[in-house]
């Protein structure tokens, strides 16, 4: 399994937004959309603000692959569902810390049960 370089982790993890383009069945990327991304140790995670109703999330979950761009890094990734409560607690804290300046209107939905259920780990593809 491929892993992130220190540079990629730093650049993506500190980027304010990540652009994600889920991959269609035929291998072509969909139109990229901006979303938030957080880092937990050597891993990167994303969630759907709209929960499972988010269009990008439905496409990503169907194909489990995407093209991401953030912090000057372009990368093909696999998307792995993350259901571990302890990891999700740390991801909640990361969202609050990184995006707290936007206030509860935006951060609260990102740490609510509906969004937590959409947590995806970004796994770099070689």
């Amino acid at each position: 399994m491929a892993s992130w370089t220190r540079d990629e982790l730093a650049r993506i993890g500190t980027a304010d937004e990540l652009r994600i383009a889920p991959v269609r069945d035929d291998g072509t990327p969909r139109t990229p959309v901006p979303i938030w991304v957080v880092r937990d140790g050597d891993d990167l995670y994303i969630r759907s603000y709209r929960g499972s109703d988010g269009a990008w999330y439905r496409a990503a979950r169907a194909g489990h692959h995407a093209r991401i761009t953030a912090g000057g890094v372009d990368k093909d990734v696999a998307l792995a569902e993350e259901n571990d409560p302890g990891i999700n607690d740390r991801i909640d804290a990361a969202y609050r810390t990184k995006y707290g300046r936007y206030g509860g209107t935006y951060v609260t939905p990102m740490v609510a049960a509906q969004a937590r259920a959409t947590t995806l780990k970004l796994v770099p593809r070689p």
Side-chain angles (χ1 to χ4, degrees):
M1 180 186 303
S3 59
W4 298 105
T5 67
R6 288 188 189 276
D7 182 59
E8 289 169 333
L9 281 170
R11 291 167 65 188
I12 297 170
T14 59
D16 203 42
E17 290 183 332
L18 174 144
R19 296 186 65 79
I20 187 167
V23 176
R24 293 181 180 94
D25 289 340
D26 68 3
T28 60
R30 295 178 181 273
T31 302
V33 296
I35 60 172
W36 286 353
V37 58
V38 295
R39 179 178 175 181
D40 179 49
D42 290 340
D43 296 315
L44 297 164
Y45 295 92
I46 56 176
R47 288 179 174 167
S48 173
Y49 178 86
R50 288 184 168 71
S52 60
D53 292 334
W56 75 262
Y57 174 76
R58 288 191 318 270
R61 189 157 181 244
H64 295 285
H65 292 99
R67 179 82 180 169
I68 62 160
T69 304
V73 177
D74 294 313
K75 198 80 168 176
D76 289 319
V77 296
L79 303 166
E81 294 177 33
E82 182 55 70
N83 299 311
D84 182 286
I87 292 173
N88 270 291
D89 288 346
R90 294 195 311 266
I91 294 167
D92 287 351
Y95 272 106
R96 287 185 184 104
T97 299
K98 183 174 181 181
Y99 296 107
R101 69 186 180 278
Y102 292 107
T105 301
Y106 297 101
V107 177
T108 300
M110 292 302 293
V111 298
Q114 186 177 2
R116 271 178 73 121
T118 68
T119 303
L120 297 172
K121 179 179 176 179
L122 303 175
V123 180
R125 296 179 69 191

